[in-house]
């Protein structure tokens, strides 16, 4: 079965609010990555966190990783209408060759 | 200056036909992938090539055959198309291991193409 389950499936907020998305996975990983997909487009890499890291920041993005709970969260602060997209976590399994297993995605809608 | 490009962008065809999707990357990456995204947005890896060598082959029907003529290109040929093949197919590439570049997130990031929307009627 798929590796990543994301929660919530959909999130609707107002501009300026924070958005938090969660990802759970099942097996040990090398790293976990978050990608963004705008409607009708390909995925764009946002941030990568390694299995020995607990938190990373990139601009308005904050990612946490709890390997004991096999979960990660993506926080987007001070959201903008342009942040409207689907967000996917992807786990890089410990299998030698990189094989990303994607979560189910969270659809974020940011209203002006 | 498209990094990862796919052709065609849209493909509408009849059941039973054979079709190909092409992917090219100009990033100098070693590794390329094909993914299938279904109507529920679930993205699943199909194949991966590293320097023209097949390294990942998921449980995909034999009707799907990838081909990598060189490390900048990875094509996907689909025989005897079925209704269930309707999906968006994404190509991606990654710098991959075995290069002189620094080891870091850049090496492990995948760069996706815009997708090919396949509709089988």
């Amino acid at each position: 079965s798929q590796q990543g389950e994301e929660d919530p499936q959909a999130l609707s907020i107002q501009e300026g609010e924070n958005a938090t998305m969660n990802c759970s996975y099942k097996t040990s990983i090398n790293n976990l990555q978050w990608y963004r997909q705008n409607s009708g487009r390909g995925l764009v890499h946002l941030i990568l966190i390694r299995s020995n890291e607990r938190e990373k920041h990139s601009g308005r993005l904050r990612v946490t990783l709890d390997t004991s709970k096999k979960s990660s969260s993506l926080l987007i602060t001070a959201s903008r209408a342009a942040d409207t997209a689907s967000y996917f976590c992807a786990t890089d399994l410990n299998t030698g060759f990189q094989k990303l297993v994607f979560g189910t995605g969270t659809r974020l809608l940011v209203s002006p | 200056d498209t990094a990862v490009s796919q052709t065609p962008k849209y493909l509408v065809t009849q059941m039973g036909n054979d079709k190909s999707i092409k992917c090219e990357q100009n990033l100098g990456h070693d590794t390329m992938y094909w993914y299938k995204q279904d109507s529920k947005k679930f993205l699943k890896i199909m194949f991966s090539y590293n320097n023209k060598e097949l390294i990942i082959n998921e449980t995909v029907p034999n009707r799907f055959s990838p081909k990598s003529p060189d490390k900048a290109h990875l094509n996907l040929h689909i025989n005897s198309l079925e209704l269930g093949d309707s999906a968006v197919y994404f190509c991606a590439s990654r710098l991959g291991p075995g290069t002189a570049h620094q080891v870091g997130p850049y090496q492990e990031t995948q760069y996706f193409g815009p997708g090919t929307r396949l509709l089988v009627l």
Side-chain angles (χ1 to χ4, degrees), chain B residues 38-96:
Chain B
D38 63 22
S39 58
K40 295 184 179 179
K41 301 291 188 184
F42 179 52
L43 195 70
K44 186 168 169 38
I45 188 169
M46 300 173 70
F47 303 101
S48 178
Y49 273 74
N50 180 262
N51 278 325
K52 302 193 296 176
E53 181 181 344
L54 181 67
I55 57 172
I56 295 175
N57 185 353
E58 291 295 285
T59 307
V60 177
N62 290 339
R63 299 181 295 103
F64 290 80
S65 52
K67 187 167 287 187
S68 182
D70 55 64
K71 75 172 192 176
H73 295 85
L74 180 61
N75 303 323
L76 183 64
H77 188 77
I78 314 171
N79 288 326
S80 304
L81 278 155
E82 300 177 357
L83 294 177
D85 297 332
S86 295
V88 184
Y89 292 84
F90 286 100
C91 175
S93 74
R94 170 181 164 247
L95 183 61

Side-chain angles (χ1 to χ4, degrees), chain A residues 2-4 30-31 33 35 37 39-45 48 50 56 86 88 92 96-105 107, chain B residues 9 31 33 35 37 40-45 48 50 55-56 58 90 94 97 103-105 107-115 117:
Chain A
Q2 63 203 38
Q3 171 79 339
N30 270 333
N31 62 68
Q33 303 181 30
Y35 286 79
Q37 184 180 31
S39 181
R41 309 288 285 272
L43 281 76
V44 175
H45 180 263
L48 178 153
R50 299 192 186 285
K56 283 193 82 171
S86 291
F88 294 88
D92 181 0
F97 291 114
Q98 186 193 58
K99 174 182 164 182
L100 290 184
V101 179
F102 283 82
T104 49
R107 287 181 294 282
Chain B
K9 189 170 183 180
T31 308
Y33 304 81
Y35 290 89
Q37 187 173 45
K40 295 184 179 179
K41 301 291 188 184
F42 179 52
L43 195 70
K44 186 168 169 38
I45 188 169
S48 178
N50 180 262
I55 57 172
I56 295 175
E58 291 295 285
F90 286 100
R94 170 181 164 247
V103 176
Q107 192 176 45
E108 296 163 284
T109 297
Q110 291 192 18
Y111 293 78
F112 281 76
R117 284 141 193 84

Side-chain angles (χ1 to χ4, degrees), chain A residues 3-88:
Chain A
Q3 171 79 339
E5 300 276 346
E6 291 188 56
D7 166 57
Q9 288 187 354
L11 182 60
S12 184
I13 59 175
Q14 300 289 317
E15 266 191 329
E17 293 180 340
N18 295 342
T20 299
M21 292 158 253
N22 303 296
C23 168
S24 61
Y25 59 93
K26 296 176 183 174
T27 62
S28 65
I29 60 173
N30 270 333
N31 62 68
L32 185 145
Q33 303 181 30
W34 285 89
Y35 286 79
R36 163 192 167 132
Q37 184 180 31
N38 286 76
S39 181
R41 309 288 285 272
L43 281 76
V44 175
H45 180 263
L46 294 176
I47 195 165
L48 178 153
I49 186 165
R50 299 192 186 285
S51 59
N52 62 353
E53 297 175 314
R54 291 298 165 257
E55 187 171 314
K56 283 193 82 171
H57 296 255
S58 176
R60 293 184 296 113
L61 304 181
R62 173 178 167 251
V63 169
T64 62
L65 178 65
D66 186 336
T67 52
S68 67
K69 294 181 179 178
K70 292 187 170 56
S71 68
S72 174
S73 67
L74 171 67
L75 168 67
I76 304 175
T77 59
S79 62
R80 305 165 182 168
D83 294 330
T84 294
S86 291
Y87 292 81
F88 294 88

